[in-house]
Amino acid sequence: MPSIDALDAAVAVLREAGDEPLHWTVIQDRALRAGHLDPFTTPDVRAELLTALRRGVRGGVLVAVGRGVYRLAPPTAER
C-alpha cells in the first residue's frame, strides 16, 4: 500500500479507532504499522504528522481533546 498524506493517514487511523480519541504517538504508530506513512519517503514522520494534525484541527476535520490527543470532528451538514 503506498503512503498517503499525513492528514489522510491520521483520519484513517482515527476512523479505525471509532469514537476513541488517540494520542499523536499512537496515531503515528498505527499509521506506520498500517503502511499509511512511510519513514523512507517522509524524512521526518513526526514533524509531518504533527503539522498535519494541527492543519486538521484548523480545517475542522479533527478536534484536539487534550494535550496531543485527537479525535475526528463530528460530521456537519456542510460536509
Side-chain angles (χ1 to χ4, degrees):
M1 168 184 280
S3 62
I4 57 176
D5 172 79
L7 179 55
D8 293 336
V11 168
V13 168
L14 288 167
R15 276 197 183 117
E16 292 166 6
D19 287 336
E20 178 186 7
L22 298 175
H23 191 265
W24 73 265
T25 56
V26 176
I27 296 170
Q28 176 180 279
D29 182 58
R30 291 183 184 183
L32 287 167
R33 289 177 188 267
H36 298 316
L37 297 175
D38 184 355
F40 297 107
T41 58
T42 306
D44 192 350
V45 171
R46 176 185 178 269
E48 186 78 24
L49 179 63
L50 290 173
T51 299
L53 291 169
R54 286 190 297 274
R55 190 173 75 241
V57 170
R58 281 192 312 271
V61 176
L62 304 176
V63 175
V65 295
R67 187 175 178 108
V69 180
Y70 300 88
R71 68 171 172 79
L72 290 174
T76 63
E78 294 91 47
R79 272 194 249 160

